[in-house]
Each structure stands twice: as C-alpha cells, then as structure tokens.
Amino acid sequence: MDMPSTSPGVGSFLEVLGGATAERSAQMLEDLLQLGIAIGSDGELPSVLDRIVTQARRFTGAEAATLFIREGAALRFAVIQNDVTARRMGQHEGRLEVERLPLDVPSLAGYVANSGEILNVPEAYDIPREMPYASNWRVDLATGYRTHSVLAVPLRDASRRIQGVLQLINATDPGGNVVPFHPRLEDVARAFAAYAAIAVRSARLEELSFKDPLTEGYNRRYLMLRLYEEVGILADGQRGAAHFAAGLDGLLDHPLVGDSRHRGL
C-alpha cells in the first residue's frame, strides 16, 4: 500500500492537532503502520529511510532533517532533506555525497551517537562552550542555511546498539517562524528513529542472508517481530497510543497549537 503523499511544510504537525484526541492518535498510528509495511516490503534502504525522514518531519514540523548511519568511528550522511535549500536550488536535496562525521569530533549527532541521549536544543548558536557537544556551523556556512532549533535522537535497535542518529532541524510554527521543538515531540521523533533503526538493522541482516541462505528465514522473522513490537509499544496501554494521545493533548495548551486551532488548521 502506498504511503500518503505529504510535504512536511510549515506547521504540518500542528495541523494534525486540529481534530479530536482519538483522531490524532489514530492518524499517527496509521501512518506508523503504513511505514512498517513500507519497511517490510521495500528492499531499498535509502528509499525507506527517505520516507521515514519525510514522515518524521511531517509530524514534527521540521524544516530540515538529516539521518546518519553509524559506520565504525564515524557517522555517514544517509538522508538529507531541507525545504529551504531545495527551493533555492530548484531540486530536492535527497541523498548527498558528503564527508563523514567523525565521532571523536564534538557535534550534536556525534554526542547522541556516543551517549544514546536525546538532545533538544532551542538555539544551536547559543550552546555554552563547556558543553560536550557543539553545532556544526561549517555546514551552515557551506549551504547558506541557518540552523536554530535541533532535535536529535538515537537510532537504537533491540540490542540497545545505536545504529545512527535522526536529527530534525528548525521546527516551524503556522506562520513559518522557526521555534524550538516542543519537549513532547521527543517521543514522536523517538518513534520514527526506532523505525529507522529497524530498517538499518534489517538491511544489514539482509546482507548476511545473501551470504548465508540458511539465515534468511531468521532475518525476516527478526524484522517482522521488531515491527510488531514497535507497533505494540505504540498501541498498548503503557506508553503507546494512550501515551501519544496524552502527549498530544498537552500540546493543546501550547500557544502555537492554540494559534493553529484558531487559524482553522
């Protein structure tokens, strides 16, 4: 089944908040289920990761995003999306061949990959010098794009290994202004990062199955079990749809959300 065509533009996540709580939760769960179907049916890892990043941006209102895959002592830029530079260049950023990000060099993504912690930075250029991470201003200098708010979450697999990092950049309000990422969006980003981790892990197991056909059945069972597990986490009564609903309800008190509701979004 094809995933819905979406453009993660200004205030797109806030638009989802216009309906009833049950409808908002159902929409998020449905999109995650469709994403799980895509992971299980699409053998091309780059296209799957691109779809995950697109959906993550849609539900968080992020103007841009980068998905890194951990390879040894560095992070590889697997997906880069940026609405502003895409419009400026007249094309979608997609996947770019850029230099890898060493894990021993202070950076937001590197810190998340090493520590496993979530980073929610309101202003990338106001990070105190004593912090163990720093914004990579060289990327802004090269692209002419200004990074402000950043939400970076680890891609953690079932074995607690970190497969990479999903970094969402510049949350936007309904008026197109860049704002910090609301803390409740951390769980939303974490859900998409979990799917990305499953996709990366599955692709690596698939590579092994080509070398050893005897493991292919196990690898495919692993993928499906992980997808069912993530969907179960989202749907059960502990920290699933109810948790999402409670989190999204809390956002209704946020001024940006109230503004979007008054605007009829």
Side-chain angles (χ1 to χ4, degrees), residues 46-130:
S47 64
V48 169
L49 294 181
D50 193 67
R51 296 168 86 173
I52 291 173
V53 172
T54 297
Q55 291 293 75
R57 290 178 55 214
R58 174 193 173 199
F59 279 104
T60 60
E63 192 174 64
T66 302
L67 191 145
F68 302 88
I69 293 180
R70 184 170 191 163
E71 295 182 346
L75 292 173
R76 175 170 62 84
F77 290 74
V79 178
I80 300 175
Q81 294 182 7
N82 188 312
D83 283 349
V84 173
T85 57
R87 286 194 298 267
R88 184 186 306 149
M89 297 167 58
Q91 61 184 5
H92 190 278
E93 291 284 70
R95 298 177 298 278
L96 300 179
E97 293 297 329
V98 294
E99 196 172 320
R100 295 170 187 253
L101 185 65
L103 289 174
D104 58 355
V105 175
S107 67
L108 300 178
Y111 176 81
V112 172
N114 285 324
S115 69
E117 298 178 9
I118 292 178
L119 278 184
N120 192 341
V121 179
E123 175 51 62
Y125 285 83
D126 288 343
I127 298 174
R129 298 178 65 88
E130 64 270 17

Side-chain angles (χ1 to χ4, degrees), residues 1-226:
M1 183 181 297
D2 292 337
M3 293 178 60
S5 176
T6 61
S7 176
V10 173
S12 51
F13 173 73
L14 301 181
E15 294 177 28
V16 179
L17 302 179
T21 300
E23 293 177 355
R24 293 197 305 273
S25 301
Q27 178 63 52
M28 294 190 70
L29 187 57
E30 173 64 22
D31 282 3
L32 286 169
L33 287 170
Q34 294 302 320
L35 199 53
I37 293 173
I39 293 173
S41 61
D42 192 339
E44 296 295 326
L45 180 63
S47 64
V48 169
L49 294 181
D50 193 67
R51 296 168 86 173
I52 291 173
V53 172
T54 297
Q55 291 293 75
R57 290 178 55 214
R58 174 193 173 199
F59 279 104
T60 60
E63 192 174 64
T66 302
L67 191 145
F68 302 88
I69 293 180
R70 184 170 191 163
E71 295 182 346
L75 292 173
R76 175 170 62 84
F77 290 74
V79 178
I80 300 175
Q81 294 182 7
N82 188 312
D83 283 349
V84 173
T85 57
R87 286 194 298 267
R88 184 186 306 149
M89 297 167 58
Q91 61 184 5
H92 190 278
E93 291 284 70
R95 298 177 298 278
L96 300 179
E97 293 297 329
V98 294
E99 196 172 320
R100 295 170 187 253
L101 185 65
L103 289 174
D104 58 355
V105 175
S107 67
L108 300 178
Y111 176 81
V112 172
N114 285 324
S115 69
E117 298 178 9
I118 292 178
L119 278 184
N120 192 341
V121 179
E123 175 51 62
Y125 285 83
D126 288 343
I127 298 174
R129 298 178 65 88
E130 64 270 17
M131 299 303 289
Y133 48 81
S135 176
N136 191 350
W137 55 267
R138 294 177 182 81
V139 175
D140 284 2
L141 186 64
T143 61
Y145 180 73
R146 177 65 182 259
T147 298
H148 292 284
S149 56
V150 178
L151 176 57
V153 295
L155 274 59
R156 197 190 301 272
D157 66 17
S159 301
R160 309 296 293 173
R161 288 188 294 265
I162 296 176
Q163 301 286 346
V165 176
L166 171 61
Q167 184 167 284
L168 300 163
I169 302 169
N170 287 356
T172 55
D173 67 13
N177 304 302
V178 175
V179 296
F181 286 94
H182 193 284
R184 293 188 185 275
L185 291 177
E186 294 173 10
D187 281 335
V188 177
R190 198 199 315 262
F192 287 102
Y195 270 56
I198 294 171
V200 172
R201 176 66 171 163
S202 173
R204 287 173 172 170
L205 288 175
E206 192 73 19
E207 291 179 2
L208 292 177
S209 72
F210 284 128
K211 297 176 182 178
D212 182 7
L214 294 177
T215 67
E216 182 174 4
Y218 166 78
N219 295 341
R220 294 190 182 278
R221 284 196 298 273
Y222 170 87
L223 168 62
M224 297 313 299
L225 286 172
R226 288 292 293 127

